[in-house]
Amino acid sequence: QVQLLESGGGLVQAVGSLRLSCAASGSIFSINSMAWYSQSPGKQRELVAVISSGGSTNYATSVKGRFTISRDNAKNTAYLQMNSLKPEDTAVYYCNAAGYNDYVRPFASWGQGTQVTVSS
């Protein structure tokens, strides 16, 4: 079983910054992709950014140029640097990781979510 622990959310004023962290632990053989999703009240969960094991990244159009996803493979940890935050970025942010466990079986895990609130 692979667990994800997120941290770094909070309340920030518009144009401010936050850095989210997501640490994976447990029965991990390899992690292929790590991603951040956001979910606002009444809306579906949406992909914000994803990073491959090799460092390739992809972003939602709404965050390009403002958010940066990175990862430390040695620590099984992903980060989301969020700059120039806007009130519409307010959401619960979830970490997702997909890969193989120690039994070389595929896994896909979600974190518990961390609240990001941006005030105007």
Side-chain angles (χ1 to χ4, degrees), residues 77-92:
T77 299
Y79 306 95
L80 186 67
Q81 179 66 44
M82 310 166 70
N83 297 330
S84 301
L85 282 160
K86 304 175 181 180
E88 49 264 43
D89 295 321
T90 295
V92 177

Side-chain angles (χ1 to χ4, degrees), residues 8-12 18 20 114-118:
L11 173 64
V12 64
L18 282 175
L20 307 183
T114 185
Q115 176 70 45
V116 171
T117 303
V118 185

Side-chain angles (χ1 to χ4, degrees), residues 17-58:
S17 298
L18 282 175
R19 188 190 194 211
L20 307 183
S21 298
C22 171
S25 62
S27 177
I28 300 171
F29 176 74
S30 65
I31 300 177
N32 294 340
S33 66
M34 298 189 79
W36 290 95
Y37 288 73
S38 67
Q39 187 168 20
S40 304
K43 295 187 177 180
Q44 289 189 333
R45 195 170 295 186
E46 299 178 336
L47 178 66
V48 175
V50 59
I51 185 168
S52 72
S53 58
S56 298
T57 58
N58 200 14

